[in-house]
Amino acid sequence: MPLRVRKSDIKVGEKKVFKDGEKEILVIYLGGNKFIAVNNKCPHLGCKLDKTGVIIREELICQCHFTHFSLSTGEPRKGATKKQLIIYKINDKGDEIEVET
């Protein structure tokens, strides 16, 4: 079953963690109608991206070891790992988004 998040629960520029069973999903609201959902653990050493992640342009940067991940593909662009960040598909459901985990 997909994770459902009310759009009003997250502000522009905010990163917020939602639980889906054992998974922690980090939802990022970039403004307009642009939401991104990623695994909250960095694939390098498991650092929590809600605490260590910084968004600059179209990248999420884990400050544990300064790996830069593409927000559109999850691919590492530079840094300490070659492992891809898991990005979840989002469906717009009006007042909510649905995250396919």
Side-chain angles (χ1 to χ4, degrees), residues 9-10 15 27 31-33 36 39 50-51 67 72 75 80 94 96 99-100:
D9 285 346
I10 186 166
K15 301 178 302 205
V27 177
N33 204 26
I36 306 287
N39 188 325
D50 63 318
K51 307 286 187 225
T67 299
S72 58
E75 292 179 57
E96 296 181 323
V99 181
E100 294 183 19

Side-chain angles (χ1 to χ4, degrees), residues 10-69:
I10 186 166
K11 296 177 177 77
V12 174
E14 185 177 25
K15 301 178 302 205
K16 196 167 186 181
V17 176
F18 296 90
K19 290 268 194 176
D20 184 35
E22 294 295 313
K23 293 180 190 174
E24 285 189 3
I25 309 300
L26 181 64
V27 177
I28 305 162
Y29 181 29
L30 299 176
N33 204 26
K34 188 155 186 179
F35 290 86
I36 306 287
V38 302
N39 188 325
N40 192 37
K41 288 186 179 179
C42 177
H44 180 230
L45 292 176
C47 295
K48 300 279 186 156
L49 294 171
D50 63 318
K51 307 286 187 225
T52 64
V54 174
I55 298 164
I56 299 177
R57 295 186 185 90
E58 293 294 316
E59 293 182 332
L60 176 62
I61 301 163
C62 178
Q63 293 185 33
C64 280
H65 293 96
F66 298 99
T67 299
H68 295 229
F69 296 98

